[in-house]
Amino acid sequence: MSYDVIRMRPIIIAILGHKDSGKTKIIEFLTQELTMRGLKVVTIKHIAHDYFEVNAEGKDTWRHKRAGAKIVIGISEKRMAIIDDIIKSSEEAFNYALEYLMSKNPDVILIEGFSKIVSSHPDIRKVVIARDLREVQYYLNIIKERLIGVIKRGNFELKAPGIKVLTEKDLLHFVLDLLED
């Protein structure tokens, strides 16, 4: 079975859940499984800390920032890092990152977090990872459309009309089915 399908846009799926719910494990699983099948997967990760560093103290990019540069781009033969202090909001940064990733023609874009930004986005499908009914209800209250289902990380019963309970493999097969269409 070949997944080399020409599409107008990539499949975009946001993995949403509270801290330590298992979002990263789902992203790792999907990324490994999809890339083993020859698909190009890209990811966007929400980081809760306002300031995080991708460049180490004393390195040239760090020195550029310390000197006052508002944007520093570090480029090697195989990687690029953008450190941008001009972005005004996480939504602006998210939209910029999504646009950039779309330009790279991926098959799948996986998003970890950004629940407030993606909850009503019409082009982004959503999966909720929840440990209890309270967490499920939180996300059901903010997600406006395109909910694929819920992956349970706790021992609780979920009976909600129209809400599918998924496993990691169910989600993988859902993505593969979308790629076939």
PDB file of all heavy atoms in Angstrom, residues 18-52:
ATOM      1  N   HIS A  18      -3.671  17.902  29.393  1.00  0.00           N
ATOM      2  CA  HIS A  18      -3.023  18.589  30.503  1.00  0.00           C
ATOM      3  C   HIS A  18      -1.558  18.148  30.618  1.00  0.00           C
ATOM      4  O   HIS A  18      -1.145  17.164  30.004  1.00  0.00           O
ATOM      5  CB  HIS A  18      -3.765  18.289  31.810  1.00  0.00           C
ATOM      6  CG  HIS A  18      -5.061  19.033  31.965  1.00  0.00           C
ATOM      7  ND1 HIS A  18      -5.953  19.215  30.944  1.00  0.00           N
ATOM      8  CD2 HIS A  18      -5.607  19.633  33.041  1.00  0.00           C
ATOM      9  CE1 HIS A  18      -6.996  19.892  31.378  1.00  0.00           C
ATOM     10  NE2 HIS A  18      -6.815  20.164  32.664  1.00  0.00           N
ATOM     11  N   LYS A  19      -0.811  18.860  31.426  1.00  0.00           N
ATOM     12  CA  LYS A  19       0.602  18.561  31.664  1.00  0.00           C
ATOM     13  C   LYS A  19       0.767  17.112  32.117  1.00  0.00           C
ATOM     14  O   LYS A  19      -0.010  16.610  32.915  1.00  0.00           O
ATOM     15  CB  LYS A  19       1.147  19.512  32.734  1.00  0.00           C
ATOM     16  CG  LYS A  19       2.621  19.351  33.040  1.00  0.00           C
ATOM     17  CD  LYS A  19       3.073  20.426  34.021  1.00  0.00           C
ATOM     18  CE  LYS A  19       4.481  20.277  34.488  1.00  0.00           C
ATOM     19  NZ  LYS A  19       5.493  20.000  33.519  1.00  0.00           N
ATOM     20  N   ASP A  20       1.768  16.447  31.562  1.00  0.00           N
ATOM     21  CA  ASP A  20       2.107  15.055  31.904  1.00  0.00           C
ATOM     22  C   ASP A  20       0.998  14.047  31.574  1.00  0.00           C
ATOM     23  O   ASP A  20       0.908  12.995  32.197  1.00  0.00           O
ATOM     24  CB  ASP A  20       2.498  14.919  33.380  1.00  0.00           C
ATOM     25  CG  ASP A  20       3.750  15.695  33.728  1.00  0.00           C
ATOM     26  OD1 ASP A  20       4.654  15.761  32.872  1.00  0.00           O
ATOM     27  OD2 ASP A  20       3.827  16.235  34.856  1.00  0.00           O
ATOM     28  N   SER A  21       0.176  14.367  30.589  1.00  0.00           N
ATOM     29  CA  SER A  21      -0.894  13.436  30.215  1.00  0.00           C
ATOM     30  C   SER A  21      -0.443  12.402  29.185  1.00  0.00           C
ATOM     31  O   SER A  21      -1.148  11.429  28.943  1.00  0.00           O
ATOM     32  CB  SER A  21      -2.103  14.210  29.685  1.00  0.00           C
ATOM     33  OG  SER A  21      -1.750  14.938  28.522  1.00  0.00           O
ATOM     34  N   GLY A  22       0.706  12.620  28.561  1.00  0.00           N
ATOM     35  CA  GLY A  22       1.194  11.667  27.566  1.00  0.00           C
ATOM     36  C   GLY A  22       1.198  12.200  26.144  1.00  0.00           C
ATOM     37  O   GLY A  22       1.333  11.417  25.197  1.00  0.00           O
ATOM     38  N   LYS A  23       1.078  13.502  25.984  1.00  0.00           N
ATOM     39  CA  LYS A  23       1.056  14.099  24.646  1.00  0.00           C
ATOM     40  C   LYS A  23       2.333  13.790  23.867  1.00  0.00           C
ATOM     41  O   LYS A  23       2.281  13.394  22.698  1.00  0.00           O
ATOM     42  CB  LYS A  23       0.864  15.620  24.729  1.00  0.00           C
ATOM     43  CG  LYS A  23      -0.439  16.058  25.357  1.00  0.00           C
ATOM     44  CD  LYS A  23      -0.566  17.565  25.427  1.00  0.00           C
ATOM     45  CE  LYS A  23       0.492  18.270  26.228  1.00  0.00           C
ATOM     46  NZ  LYS A  23       0.481  18.018  27.667  1.00  0.00           N
ATOM     47  N   THR A  24       3.474  13.973  24.505  1.00  0.00           N
ATOM     48  CA  THR A  24       4.745  13.759  23.818  1.00  0.00           C
ATOM     49  C   THR A  24       4.896  12.303  23.384  1.00  0.00           C
ATOM     50  O   THR A  24       5.383  12.030  22.282  1.00  0.00           O
ATOM     51  CB  THR A  24       5.922  14.190  24.715  1.00  0.00           C
ATOM     52  OG1 THR A  24       5.756  15.570  25.039  1.00  0.00           O
ATOM     53  CG2 THR A  24       7.254  13.999  24.013  1.00  0.00           C
ATOM     54  N   LYS A  25       4.436  11.363  24.206  1.00  0.00           N
ATOM     55  CA  LYS A  25       4.524   9.949  23.837  1.00  0.00           C
ATOM     56  C   LYS A  25       3.691   9.654  22.594  1.00  0.00           C
ATOM     57  O   LYS A  25       4.105   8.872  21.738  1.00  0.00           O
ATOM     58  CB  LYS A  25       4.095   9.052  24.993  1.00  0.00           C
ATOM     59  CG  LYS A  25       5.135   9.001  26.095  1.00  0.00           C
ATOM     60  CD  LYS A  25       4.776   8.013  27.169  1.00  0.00           C
ATOM     61  CE  LYS A  25       5.882   8.061  28.213  1.00  0.00           C
ATOM     62  NZ  LYS A  25       5.805   7.001  29.160  1.00  0.00           N
ATOM     63  N   ILE A  26       2.527  10.269  22.492  1.00  0.00           N
ATOM     64  CA  ILE A  26       1.688  10.076  21.305  1.00  0.00           C
ATOM     65  C   ILE A  26       2.387  10.667  20.076  1.00  0.00           C
ATOM     66  O   ILE A  26       2.410  10.046  19.004  1.00  0.00           O
ATOM     67  CB  ILE A  26       0.296  10.735  21.495  1.00  0.00           C
ATOM     68  CG1 ILE A  26      -0.463  10.073  22.644  1.00  0.00           C
ATOM     69  CG2 ILE A  26      -0.507  10.689  20.196  1.00  0.00           C
ATOM     70  CD1 ILE A  26      -0.850   8.649  22.409  1.00  0.00           C
ATOM     71  N   ILE A  27       2.950  11.863  20.222  1.00  0.00           N
ATOM     72  CA  ILE A  27       3.674  12.502  19.106  1.00  0.00           C
ATOM     73  C   ILE A  27       4.844  11.611  18.680  1.00  0.00           C
ATOM     74  O   ILE A  27       5.064  11.389  17.481  1.00  0.00           O
ATOM     75  CB  ILE A  27       4.183  13.900  19.505  1.00  0.00           C
ATOM     76  CG1 ILE A  27       3.018  14.854  19.815  1.00  0.00           C
ATOM     77  CG2 ILE A  27       5.118  14.468  18.434  1.00  0.00           C
ATOM     78  CD1 ILE A  27       2.345  15.491  18.652  1.00  0.00           C
ATOM     79  N   GLU A  28       5.595  11.096  19.650  1.00  0.00           N
ATOM     80  CA  GLU A  28       6.723  10.202  19.327  1.00  0.00           C
ATOM     81  C   GLU A  28       6.236   8.959  18.575  1.00  0.00           C
ATOM     82  O   GLU A  28       6.827   8.569  17.562  1.00  0.00           O
ATOM     83  CB  GLU A  28       7.438   9.755  20.600  1.00  0.00           C
ATOM     84  CG  GLU A  28       8.281  10.811  21.251  1.00  0.00           C
ATOM     85  CD  GLU A  28       8.878  10.326  22.560  1.00  0.00           C
ATOM     86  OE1 GLU A  28       8.145   9.757  23.393  1.00  0.00           O
ATOM     87  OE2 GLU A  28      10.088  10.526  22.741  1.00  0.00           O
ATOM     88  N   PHE A  29       5.182   8.337  19.082  1.00  0.00           N
ATOM     89  CA  PHE A  29       4.643   7.133  18.455  1.00  0.00           C
ATOM     90  C   PHE A  29       4.220   7.410  17.016  1.00  0.00           C
ATOM     91  O   PHE A  29       4.611   6.688  16.090  1.00  0.00           O
ATOM     92  CB  PHE A  29       3.453   6.598  19.275  1.00  0.00           C
ATOM     93  CG  PHE A  29       2.703   5.495  18.586  1.00  0.00           C
ATOM     94  CD1 PHE A  29       3.217   4.208  18.553  1.00  0.00           C
ATOM     95  CD2 PHE A  29       1.488   5.747  17.976  1.00  0.00           C
ATOM     96  CE1 PHE A  29       2.530   3.187  17.908  1.00  0.00           C
ATOM     97  CE2 PHE A  29       0.788   4.732  17.329  1.00  0.00           C
ATOM     98  CZ  PHE A  29       1.313   3.448  17.295  1.00  0.00           C
ATOM     99  N   LEU A  30       3.404   8.440  16.818  1.00  0.00           N
ATOM    100  CA  LEU A  30       2.927   8.751  15.466  1.00  0.00           C
ATOM    101  C   LEU A  30       4.087   9.104  14.538  1.00  0.00           C
ATOM    102  O   LEU A  30       4.125   8.650  13.392  1.00  0.00           O
ATOM    103  CB  LEU A  30       1.919   9.902  15.513  1.00  0.00           C
ATOM    104  CG  LEU A  30       0.562   9.587  16.126  1.00  0.00           C
ATOM    105  CD1 LEU A  30      -0.268  10.850  16.247  1.00  0.00           C
ATOM    106  CD2 LEU A  30      -0.178   8.538  15.302  1.00  0.00           C
ATOM    107  N   THR A  31       5.013   9.908  15.032  1.00  0.00           N
ATOM    108  CA  THR A  31       6.146  10.321  14.201  1.00  0.00           C
ATOM    109  C   THR A  31       6.967   9.108  13.767  1.00  0.00           C
ATOM    110  O   THR A  31       7.302   8.966  12.587  1.00  0.00           O
ATOM    111  CB  THR A  31       7.023  11.340  14.954  1.00  0.00           C
ATOM    112  OG1 THR A  31       6.218  12.484  15.277  1.00  0.00           O
ATOM    113  CG2 THR A  31       8.198  11.793  14.106  1.00  0.00           C
ATOM    114  N   GLN A  32       7.272   8.224  14.707  1.00  0.00           N
ATOM    115  CA  GLN A  32       8.047   7.027  14.371  1.00  0.00           C
ATOM    116  C   GLN A  32       7.304   6.147  13.366  1.00  0.00           C
ATOM    117  O   GLN A  32       7.879   5.701  12.371  1.00  0.00           O
ATOM    118  CB  GLN A  32       8.374   6.231  15.633  1.00  0.00           C
ATOM    119  CG  GLN A  32       9.393   6.906  16.511  1.00  0.00           C
ATOM    120  CD  GLN A  32       9.546   6.229  17.868  1.00  0.00           C
ATOM    121  OE1 GLN A  32       8.803   5.325  18.227  1.00  0.00           O
ATOM    122  NE2 GLN A  32      10.523   6.681  18.636  1.00  0.00           N
ATOM    123  N   GLU A  33       6.038   5.893  13.628  1.00  0.00           N
ATOM    124  CA  GLU A  33       5.265   5.007  12.757  1.00  0.00           C
ATOM    125  C   GLU A  33       5.089   5.591  11.356  1.00  0.00           C
ATOM    126  O   GLU A  33       5.195   4.868  10.364  1.00  0.00           O
ATOM    127  CB  GLU A  33       3.890   4.715  13.371  1.00  0.00           C
ATOM    128  CG  GLU A  33       3.948   3.849  14.611  1.00  0.00           C
ATOM    129  CD  GLU A  33       4.365   2.412  14.312  1.00  0.00           C
ATOM    130  OE1 GLU A  33       4.036   1.890  13.234  1.00  0.00           O
ATOM    131  OE2 GLU A  33       5.029   1.811  15.176  1.00  0.00           O
ATOM    132  N   LEU A  34       4.814   6.874  11.281  1.00  0.00           N
ATOM    133  CA  LEU A  34       4.588   7.499   9.976  1.00  0.00           C
ATOM    134  C   LEU A  34       5.884   7.645   9.185  1.00  0.00           C
ATOM    135  O   LEU A  34       5.902   7.423   7.974  1.00  0.00           O
ATOM    136  CB  LEU A  34       3.889   8.849  10.154  1.00  0.00           C
ATOM    137  CG  LEU A  34       2.469   8.767  10.735  1.00  0.00           C
ATOM    138  CD1 LEU A  34       1.956  10.147  11.117  1.00  0.00           C
ATOM    139  CD2 LEU A  34       1.519   8.070   9.770  1.00  0.00           C
ATOM    140  N   THR A  35       6.975   8.015   9.862  1.00  0.00           N
ATOM    141  CA  THR A  35       8.240   8.158   9.138  1.00  0.00           C
ATOM    142  C   THR A  35       8.769   6.789   8.693  1.00  0.00           C
ATOM    143  O   THR A  35       9.400   6.703   7.629  1.00  0.00           O
ATOM    144  CB  THR A  35       9.309   8.905   9.970  1.00  0.00           C
ATOM    145  OG1 THR A  35       9.510   8.234  11.201  1.00  0.00           O
ATOM    146  CG2 THR A  35       8.906  10.339  10.213  1.00  0.00           C
ATOM    147  N   MET A  36       8.512   5.732   9.450  1.00  0.00           N
ATOM    148  CA  MET A  36       8.901   4.382   9.008  1.00  0.00           C
ATOM    149  C   MET A  36       8.200   4.011   7.706  1.00  0.00           C
ATOM    150  O   MET A  36       8.696   3.179   6.949  1.00  0.00           O
ATOM    151  CB  MET A  36       8.578   3.332  10.083  1.00  0.00           C
ATOM    152  CG  MET A  36       9.565   3.311  11.210  1.00  0.00           C
ATOM    153  SD  MET A  36       9.388   1.890  12.346  1.00  0.00           S
ATOM    154  CE  MET A  36       7.636   1.641  12.489  1.00  0.00           C
ATOM    155  N   ARG A  37       7.051   4.623   7.460  1.00  0.00           N
ATOM    156  CA  ARG A  37       6.300   4.362   6.230  1.00  0.00           C
ATOM    157  C   ARG A  37       6.690   5.327   5.111  1.00  0.00           C
ATOM    158  O   ARG A  37       6.029   5.388   4.086  1.00  0.00           O
ATOM    159  CB  ARG A  37       4.808   4.450   6.517  1.00  0.00           C
ATOM    160  CG  ARG A  37       4.296   3.299   7.367  1.00  0.00           C
ATOM    161  CD  ARG A  37       2.915   3.597   7.923  1.00  0.00           C
ATOM    162  NE  ARG A  37       2.278   2.432   8.517  1.00  0.00           N
ATOM    163  CZ  ARG A  37       2.506   1.980   9.741  1.00  0.00           C
ATOM    164  NH1 ARG A  37       3.376   2.587  10.532  1.00  0.00           N
ATOM    165  NH2 ARG A  37       1.874   0.920  10.201  1.00  0.00           N
ATOM    166  N   GLY A  38       7.730   6.115   5.346  1.00  0.00           N
ATOM    167  CA  GLY A  38       8.229   7.018   4.315  1.00  0.00           C
ATOM    168  C   GLY A  38       7.531   8.362   4.243  1.00  0.00           C
ATOM    169  O   GLY A  38       7.713   9.109   3.282  1.00  0.00           O
ATOM    170  N   LEU A  39       6.730   8.681   5.251  1.00  0.00           N
ATOM    171  CA  LEU A  39       6.012   9.953   5.251  1.00  0.00           C
ATOM    172  C   LEU A  39       6.849  11.052   5.894  1.00  0.00           C
ATOM    173  O   LEU A  39       7.657  10.792   6.793  1.00  0.00           O
ATOM    174  CB  LEU A  39       4.683   9.804   6.000  1.00  0.00           C
ATOM    175  CG  LEU A  39       3.715   8.832   5.323  1.00  0.00           C
ATOM    176  CD1 LEU A  39       2.605   8.437   6.264  1.00  0.00           C
ATOM    177  CD2 LEU A  39       3.159   9.445   4.051  1.00  0.00           C
ATOM    178  N   LYS A  40       6.645  12.267   5.435  1.00  0.00           N
ATOM    179  CA  LYS A  40       7.349  13.429   5.979  1.00  0.00           C
ATOM    180  C   LYS A  40       6.474  14.042   7.076  1.00  0.00           C
ATOM    181  O   LYS A  40       5.402  14.573   6.810  1.00  0.00           O
ATOM    182  CB  LYS A  40       7.607  14.442   4.866  1.00  0.00           C
ATOM    183  CG  LYS A  40       8.433  15.626   5.294  1.00  0.00           C
ATOM    184  CD  LYS A  40       8.688  16.519   4.084  1.00  0.00           C
ATOM    185  CE  LYS A  40       9.509  17.724   4.427  1.00  0.00           C
ATOM    186  NZ  LYS A  40       9.703  18.567   3.221  1.00  0.00           N
ATOM    187  N   VAL A  41       6.960  13.942   8.312  1.00  0.00           N
ATOM    188  CA  VAL A  41       6.224  14.433   9.482  1.00  0.00           C
ATOM    189  C   VAL A  41       6.982  15.613  10.070  1.00  0.00           C
ATOM    190  O   VAL A  41       8.204  15.563  10.222  1.00  0.00           O
ATOM    191  CB  VAL A  41       6.093  13.327  10.548  1.00  0.00           C
ATOM    192  CG1 VAL A  41       5.372  13.842  11.787  1.00  0.00           C
ATOM    193  CG2 VAL A  41       5.371  12.110   9.971  1.00  0.00           C
ATOM    194  N   VAL A  42       6.266  16.668  10.386  1.00  0.00           N
ATOM    195  CA  VAL A  42       6.842  17.826  11.077  1.00  0.00           C
ATOM    196  C   VAL A  42       6.007  18.104  12.318  1.00  0.00           C
ATOM    197  O   VAL A  42       4.829  17.729  12.377  1.00  0.00           O
ATOM    198  CB  VAL A  42       6.938  19.073  10.161  1.00  0.00           C
ATOM    199  CG1 VAL A  42       7.836  18.809   8.966  1.00  0.00           C
ATOM    200  CG2 VAL A  42       5.562  19.518   9.683  1.00  0.00           C
ATOM    201  N   THR A  43       6.616  18.727  13.319  1.00  0.00           N
ATOM    202  CA  THR A  43       5.897  18.965  14.573  1.00  0.00           C
ATOM    203  C   THR A  43       6.064  20.400  15.042  1.00  0.00           C
ATOM    204  O   THR A  43       7.038  21.071  14.710  1.00  0.00           O
ATOM    205  CB  THR A  43       6.393  18.027  15.694  1.00  0.00           C
ATOM    206  OG1 THR A  43       7.742  18.346  16.017  1.00  0.00           O
ATOM    207  CG2 THR A  43       6.286  16.564  15.292  1.00  0.00           C
ATOM    208  N   ILE A  44       5.091  20.834  15.821  1.00  0.00           N
ATOM    209  CA  ILE A  44       5.139  22.110  16.541  1.00  0.00           C
ATOM    210  C   ILE A  44       4.861  21.780  18.000  1.00  0.00           C
ATOM    211  O   ILE A  44       3.885  21.100  18.312  1.00  0.00           O
ATOM    212  CB  ILE A  44       4.086  23.117  16.046  1.00  0.00           C
ATOM    213  CG1 ILE A  44       4.232  23.390  14.549  1.00  0.00           C
ATOM    214  CG2 ILE A  44       4.157  24.410  16.847  1.00  0.00           C
ATOM    215  CD1 ILE A  44       3.121  24.279  13.986  1.00  0.00           C
ATOM    216  N   LYS A  45       5.683  22.278  18.903  1.00  0.00           N
ATOM    217  CA  LYS A  45       5.550  21.994  20.339  1.00  0.00           C
ATOM    218  C   LYS A  45       5.348  23.286  21.110  1.00  0.00           C
ATOM    219  O   LYS A  45       6.128  24.213  20.976  1.00  0.00           O
ATOM    220  CB  LYS A  45       6.831  21.280  20.818  1.00  0.00           C
ATOM    221  CG  LYS A  45       7.039  21.251  22.319  1.00  0.00           C
ATOM    222  CD  LYS A  45       6.247  20.162  22.969  1.00  0.00           C
ATOM    223  CE  LYS A  45       6.604  19.994  24.436  1.00  0.00           C
ATOM    224  NZ  LYS A  45       5.665  20.608  25.344  1.00  0.00           N
ATOM    225  N   HIS A  46       4.301  23.349  21.896  1.00  0.00           N
ATOM    226  CA  HIS A  46       4.099  24.492  22.784  1.00  0.00           C
ATOM    227  C   HIS A  46       5.017  24.344  23.987  1.00  0.00           C
ATOM    228  O   HIS A  46       5.110  23.279  24.584  1.00  0.00           O
ATOM    229  CB  HIS A  46       2.650  24.569  23.254  1.00  0.00           C
ATOM    230  CG  HIS A  46       2.396  25.730  24.156  1.00  0.00           C
ATOM    231  ND1 HIS A  46       2.280  25.589  25.519  1.00  0.00           N
ATOM    232  CD2 HIS A  46       2.263  27.043  23.893  1.00  0.00           C
ATOM    233  CE1 HIS A  46       2.082  26.777  26.051  1.00  0.00           C
ATOM    234  NE2 HIS A  46       2.070  27.673  25.094  1.00  0.00           N
ATOM    235  N   ILE A  47       5.714  25.417  24.316  1.00  0.00           N
ATOM    236  CA  ILE A  47       6.584  25.438  25.490  1.00  0.00           C
ATOM    237  C   ILE A  47       6.004  26.460  26.459  1.00  0.00           C
ATOM    238  O   ILE A  47       5.815  27.620  26.097  1.00  0.00           O
ATOM    239  CB  ILE A  47       8.036  25.787  25.098  1.00  0.00           C
ATOM    240  CG1 ILE A  47       8.575  24.696  24.161  1.00  0.00           C
ATOM    241  CG2 ILE A  47       8.911  25.939  26.336  1.00  0.00           C
ATOM    242  CD1 ILE A  47       9.915  24.994  23.556  1.00  0.00           C
ATOM    243  N   ALA A  48       5.728  26.026  27.657  1.00  0.00           N
ATOM    244  CA  ALA A  48       5.031  26.873  28.627  1.00  0.00           C
ATOM    245  C   ALA A  48       5.893  28.003  29.183  1.00  0.00           C
ATOM    246  O   ALA A  48       5.370  28.987  29.688  1.00  0.00           O
ATOM    247  CB  ALA A  48       4.495  26.028  29.773  1.00  0.00           C
ATOM    248  N   HIS A  49       7.193  27.874  29.097  1.00  0.00           N
ATOM    249  CA  HIS A  49       8.089  28.898  29.643  1.00  0.00           C
ATOM    250  C   HIS A  49       8.265  30.030  28.635  1.00  0.00           C
ATOM    251  O   HIS A  49       8.498  29.783  27.457  1.00  0.00           O
ATOM    252  CB  HIS A  49       9.454  28.292  29.976  1.00  0.00           C
ATOM    253  CG  HIS A  49       9.354  27.009  30.740  1.00  0.00           C
ATOM    254  ND1 HIS A  49       8.938  26.959  32.051  1.00  0.00           N
ATOM    255  CD2 HIS A  49       9.570  25.736  30.367  1.00  0.00           C
ATOM    256  CE1 HIS A  49       8.924  25.705  32.451  1.00  0.00           C
ATOM    257  NE2 HIS A  49       9.304  24.938  31.453  1.00  0.00           N
ATOM    258  N   ASP A  50       8.164  31.275  29.090  1.00  0.00           N
ATOM    259  CA  ASP A  50       8.295  32.410  28.185  1.00  0.00           C
ATOM    260  C   ASP A  50       9.659  32.467  27.512  1.00  0.00           C
ATOM    261  O   ASP A  50       9.767  32.777  26.336  1.00  0.00           O
ATOM    262  CB  ASP A  50       8.043  33.730  28.922  1.00  0.00           C
ATOM    263  CG  ASP A  50       6.565  33.921  29.253  1.00  0.00           C
ATOM    264  OD1 ASP A  50       5.727  33.233  28.645  1.00  0.00           O
ATOM    265  OD2 ASP A  50       6.268  34.760  30.116  1.00  0.00           O
ATOM    266  N   TYR A  51      10.693  32.222  28.258  1.00  0.00           N
ATOM    267  CA  TYR A  51      12.041  32.304  27.704  1.00  0.00           C
ATOM    268  C   TYR A  51      12.725  30.964  27.859  1.00  0.00           C
ATOM    269  O   TYR A  51      12.903  30.465  28.957  1.00  0.00           O
ATOM    270  CB  TYR A  51      12.859  33.401  28.394  1.00  0.00           C
ATOM    271  CG  TYR A  51      12.305  34.769  28.110  1.00  0.00           C
ATOM    272  CD1 TYR A  51      11.491  35.410  29.033  1.00  0.00           C
ATOM    273  CD2 TYR A  51      12.552  35.395  26.903  1.00  0.00           C
ATOM    274  CE1 TYR A  51      10.950  36.658  28.770  1.00  0.00           C
ATOM    275  CE2 TYR A  51      12.005  36.643  26.621  1.00  0.00           C
ATOM    276  CZ  TYR A  51      11.215  37.266  27.555  1.00  0.00           C
ATOM    277  OH  TYR A  51      10.678  38.487  27.286  1.00  0.00           O
ATOM    278  N   PHE A  52      13.075  30.387  26.747  1.00  0.00           N
ATOM    279  CA  PHE A  52      13.837  29.152  26.733  1.00  0.00           C
ATOM    280  C   PHE A  52      14.964  29.364  25.729  1.00  0.00           C
ATOM    281  O   PHE A  52      14.863  30.178  24.830  1.00  0.00           O
ATOM    282  CB  PHE A  52      12.965  27.952  26.342  1.00  0.00           C
ATOM    283  CG  PHE A  52      12.403  28.045  24.959  1.00  0.00           C
ATOM    284  CD1 PHE A  52      13.045  27.431  23.887  1.00  0.00           C
ATOM    285  CD2 PHE A  52      11.232  28.748  24.711  1.00  0.00           C
ATOM    286  CE1 PHE A  52      12.535  27.524  22.612  1.00  0.00           C
ATOM    287  CE2 PHE A  52      10.710  28.837  23.433  1.00  0.00           C
ATOM    288  CZ  PHE A  52      11.372  28.229  22.377  1.00  0.00           C
TER     289      PHE A  52
END
